Amino acid sequence: MTAFEPFGGETVNPSQTAVAVLRGLALPGIELRTLSLPTCFGQSLALIERTLDDWPADAVLAVGLAGGRSGLSVERVAINLDDARIPDNAGQQPIDQPVVAGAPAAYFSALPVKAMVAAIRDAGIDAAVSHSAGTFVCNHVFFGLSHMAATRRAGLRCGFIHIPWAPEQAEHHGGPSLDAAGVARGLAAALMAIETGAPEPTVSEGALS
């Protein structure tokens, strides 16, 4: 599981905090390894690639912040586009650039997104399927991982979850928030859905806009 360092002038990134809490939870059948990523185009994917050389994995679930969302958003689609509204932590601000030149326009998540959402809700945490991971470093990592799996790491399953502001951030920015313990509980439920091979429920998780 990956998380991101703070970015955009923030002093914390709740993905790091929640993943740290998650490491203390019981996850039967799962050997969890975690990695903190730089919020930087290119560098984040390079670090994942190097780490997978040393830590072969069955699945990678990346976690990132999406301030303003009310619950955990399990991402369904990664697109081949970097279009940064703000600079990353290295000062890079690509506009209308592909994540991987010549790669497909998009990949669907290889994880059971609807089953993960159902499991998170069963754990008492608000969750939804999201159909856009944005065009910043979160989507960059999601697409890059998906392309690695499709071209160089057969059998690797990967996906992405966005989480809300931490409560202390929401006090400043406004909008909904979720504390680290709640996020960690939701992430644990998502991981167990992946591990147990929970079937995808035949329910609509679509959106009208």
Side-chain angles (χ1 to χ4, degrees), residues 126-151:
D126 184 26
V129 173
S130 169
H131 300 89
S132 174
T135 56
F136 196 52
V137 183
C138 289
N139 175 77
H140 179 85
V141 163
F142 184 17
F143 185 90
L145 269 169
S146 299
H147 190 65
M148 285 182 206
T151 60

Side-chain angles (χ1 to χ4, degrees), residues 52-68:
L52 288 174
D53 288 339
D54 296 328
W55 293 353
D58 298 315
V60 178
L61 180 58
V63 184
L65 170 65

Side-chain angles (χ1 to χ4, degrees), residues 10-186:
E10 299 292 324
T11 58
V12 298
N13 190 316
S15 67
Q16 287 183 324
T17 311
V19 168
V21 173
L22 181 66
R23 289 199 296 265
L25 302 182
L27 300 168
I30 295 175
E31 180 186 356
L32 179 65
R33 293 183 173 182
T34 62
L35 178 67
S36 185
L37 300 177
T39 306
C40 300
F41 294 98
Q43 294 179 34
S44 50
L45 285 176
L47 178 56
I48 290 173
E49 185 93 45
R50 293 195 303 270
T51 302
L52 288 174
D53 288 339
D54 296 328
W55 293 353
D58 298 315
V60 178
L61 180 58
V63 184
L65 170 65
R69 299 195 190 186
S70 60
L72 272 62
S73 298
V74 182
E75 298 296 345
R76 196 176 200 177
V77 185
I79 61 172
N80 191 10
L81 177 66
D82 291 335
D83 192 10
R85 182 175 58 83
I86 61 173
D88 70 7
N89 284 359
Q92 303 172 103
Q93 192 172 4
I95 296 174
D96 297 338
Q97 298 296 313
V99 179
V100 180
Y107 287 107
F108 283 108
S109 174
L111 301 180
V113 294
K114 291 185 178 181
M116 293 162 67
V117 166
I120 296 167
R121 290 172 180 164
D122 286 346
I125 303 299
D126 184 26
V129 173
S130 169
H131 300 89
S132 174
T135 56
F136 196 52
V137 183
C138 289
N139 175 77
H140 179 85
V141 163
F142 184 17
F143 185 90
L145 269 169
S146 299
H147 190 65
M148 285 182 206
T151 60
R152 301 193 300 282
R153 297 186 181 272
L156 178 67
R157 296 172 295 157
C158 52
F160 200 100
I161 290 183
H162 269 120
I163 65 172
W165 294 121
E168 62 270 24
Q169 292 176 303
E171 289 179 5
H172 174 70
H173 293 284
S177 67
L178 186 60
D179 63 23
V183 174
R185 191 162 73 248

